[in-house]
Amino acid sequence: MSEAILKPRGLSRLETGHPWIFKSDVEPVDAPNGEIVDVVAKGRFLGQAFYSQHSEITLRLLSRGALADSWLGDRIEAAIDFREVALGLKGACRLIHGESDGLPGLIVDRYGDVLVLQILAAAMEMRTNAIVDALVIRLKPRGILARNDVKVREREGLAREVKTLWGEVPETVEIAEGRVSLSVDVVNGQKTGTFLDQSANHLRFGELARGRVLDAFCHDGGFGLQAARNPAVTEVVAVDISVEALARARANAERNALELNPVEANVFDFLTDEVAKGSRYDTIVLDPPAFAKTKGARDAAWRGYKEINRRALQLLEPLGLLMTCSCSYHVSEEEFEAVVASAAADSGITAQIMERRSQAADHPVRLGMPESRYLKTLVIRKLE
């Protein structure tokens, strides 16, 4: 087997527990793209990794020892067992969460009897048939769809495409989130269809919601629909700039016989206008897209997060609740909390943190890999 020899900085990174080693931290490797290579430093064998010729992430660590021949199937089985046995999840959920499950570059989500996968590494792409076979044997799905349409694949020299890998895949699939039924567009929807990482936060928001509710960046209505089920809620205003998202939110509301007041608007403009009008809400959720997709976007992201949180806090009634989210990995939990605190201070508002939350348990965080903890959520109570 070919060897990948780490430079001192690569060794230091590996010793912190991070599974990614970058091109600049590895000596030139003589191996085919996607090969499993031995990782070596100072003459010591340290484990085995996927090798990529094209990506800046040259090595993705697979093990700290020698892999068994059955490693791929064994890890797929273990990941599914964790969700179904340990977490008790039988319905829609993330079944495989990449590096956190020891399967770098592989995402598999379940929507009813349809599986949707994303492959983000060339080495996993080469093993697509084996992955599909393992999933079919274990889960017997109606169909398996590849949502390989994400830009990150280009860094691995992979084409962007959406295609059926097995069986029959309908365009939409109905799932349950708590007691709310949702229609998910697995072919064209966000990520692999919808935001499964927010499922637990959707349910918690529904429990906390009171009075007049604002669901900003509402997407398909995940937060707003849970709030609308709560008898303590009098109105749910759902705002998004996407006509398609609002149409799905409206259809989901009708499916569940729930009331939403959909508003097509730029959320920044909507919040500014609502403050100017003197509007008030008892419960607000902010779930924007990632404002900082690169390190270079952090300053602009800070300004964006501060603006929407400042306006939301101004709109809250005293003792009202704000659930505010960031899915920007490049904005840390500490930085996100600081920007919300700055937004409150600028408005002369006193508030307290009720809860700090993250992504759902089926999206586990890998120790030593902060990228796997990307979703930060604060539940804020406005005092005055």
Side-chain angles (χ1 to χ4, degrees):
M1 186 169 290
S2 300
E3 287 188 350
I5 300 173
L6 302 186
K7 298 178 181 179
R9 192 166 63 176
L11 174 59
S12 176
R13 184 174 176 83
L14 190 67
E15 289 175 339
T16 68
H18 205 293
W20 292 350
I21 306 297
F22 297 105
K23 183 179 295 184
S24 58
D25 300 328
V26 183
E27 299 289 353
V29 178
D30 182 15
N33 191 41
E35 180 97 337
I36 294 176
V37 298
D38 288 342
V39 180
V40 177
K42 299 180 179 178
R44 292 186 295 125
F45 171 74
L46 301 174
Q48 294 184 306
F50 281 153
Y51 168 64
S52 173
Q53 291 179 342
H54 305 290
S55 175
E56 284 300 310
I57 305 171
T58 296
L59 301 178
R60 297 173 187 259
L61 190 70
L62 291 168
S63 70
R64 295 186 179 274
L67 289 165
D69 291 342
S70 60
W71 73 271
L72 181 60
D74 291 346
R75 292 186 183 186
I76 289 172
E77 287 286 321
I80 296 171
D81 284 344
F82 169 62
R83 275 72 176 183
E84 294 192 341
V85 179
L87 299 180
L89 300 174
K90 301 299 182 184
C93 68
R94 174 148 296 181
L95 293 173
I96 297 174
H97 190 51
E99 280 80 354
S100 291
D101 287 305
L103 293 160
L106 177 62
I107 301 295
V108 179
D109 289 339
R110 175 170 61 194
Y111 297 101
D113 57 1
V114 172
L115 304 179
V116 183
L117 62 78
Q118 281 185 340
I119 294 178
L120 309 177
M124 274 297 178
E125 179 98 336
M126 294 166 55
R127 293 160 174 84
T128 298
N129 291 341
I131 293 165
V132 169
D133 288 347
L135 293 172
V136 169
I137 291 169
R138 171 64 189 262
L139 299 168
K140 300 177 176 57
R142 174 182 175 184
I144 300 177
L145 178 72
R147 279 292 302 271
N148 289 334
D149 51 350
V150 288
K151 188 174 179 59
V152 69
R153 279 174 56 89
E154 295 177 358
R155 300 176 192 170
E156 291 278 332
L158 300 173
R160 296 169 68 178
E161 60 185 4
V162 177
K163 64 179 181 180
T164 298
L165 298 176
W166 190 86
E168 177 190 7
V169 177
E171 187 167 310
T172 60
V173 180
E174 190 166 314
I175 66 169
E177 194 167 77
R179 296 176 65 182
V180 170
S181 173
L182 299 172
S183 178
V184 177
D185 184 344
V186 295
V187 177
N188 303 298
Q190 295 283 352
K191 294 193 173 183
T192 62
T194 191
F195 294 94
L196 291 175
D197 52 0
Q198 285 282 28
S199 58
N201 292 330
H202 290 163
L203 296 174
R204 182 60 175 148
F205 184 74
E207 294 170 351
L208 295 172
R210 299 289 185 275
R212 191 174 188 225
V213 174
L214 173 60
D215 180 0
F217 307 97
C218 71
H219 311 297
D220 296 352
F223 285 103
L225 292 170
Q226 295 293 338
R229 288 196 68 257
N230 191 324
V233 169
T234 57
E235 181 188 13
V236 177
V237 179
V239 184
D240 205 287
I241 199 169
S242 167
V243 176
E244 295 80 9
L246 286 175
R248 291 193 295 269
R250 188 181 294 109
N252 282 327
E254 292 173 356
R255 177 178 291 101
N256 291 276
L258 297 171
E259 291 291 330
L260 284 185
N261 178 10
V263 177
E264 180 191 342
N266 177 298
V267 171
F268 285 85
D269 295 339
F270 176 86
L271 294 173
T272 300
D273 292 345
E274 288 290 275
V275 169
K277 291 190 298 187
S279 296
R280 288 291 181 268
Y281 295 88
D282 301 285
T283 318
I284 298 175
V285 60
L286 299 174
D287 184 25
F291 287 165
K293 294 185 178 180
T294 65
K295 287 183 180 180
R298 287 173 61 180
D299 289 346
W302 178 279
R303 292 191 295 271
Y305 285 124
K306 183 172 180 177
E307 176 65 14
I308 60 173
N309 281 280
R310 185 168 65 91
R311 295 301 187 187
L313 287 166
Q314 290 171 346
L315 288 172
L316 270 183
E317 293 280 11
L319 306 185
L321 296 182
L322 166 65
M323 179 178 281
T324 181
C325 308
S326 167
C327 60
S328 297
Y329 159 69
H330 292 289
V331 176
S332 71
E333 184 174 16
E334 292 76 15
E335 290 169 331
F336 184 54
E337 185 172 321
V339 78
V340 177
S342 179
D346 278 7
S347 299
I349 290 169
T350 302
Q352 61 188 190
I353 296 176
M354 286 182 57
E355 297 179 19
R356 293 178 176 89
R357 302 178 62 84
S358 185
Q359 61 244 35
D362 56 354
H363 293 61
V365 175
R366 175 172 175 151
L367 279 176
M369 186 180 183
E371 292 89 344
S372 62
R373 174 125 196 265
Y374 60 92
L375 181 59
K376 285 80 63 176
T377 299
L378 297 173
V379 180
I380 306 292
R381 182 170 178 255
K382 179 178 177 178
L383 298 180
E384 59 178 356

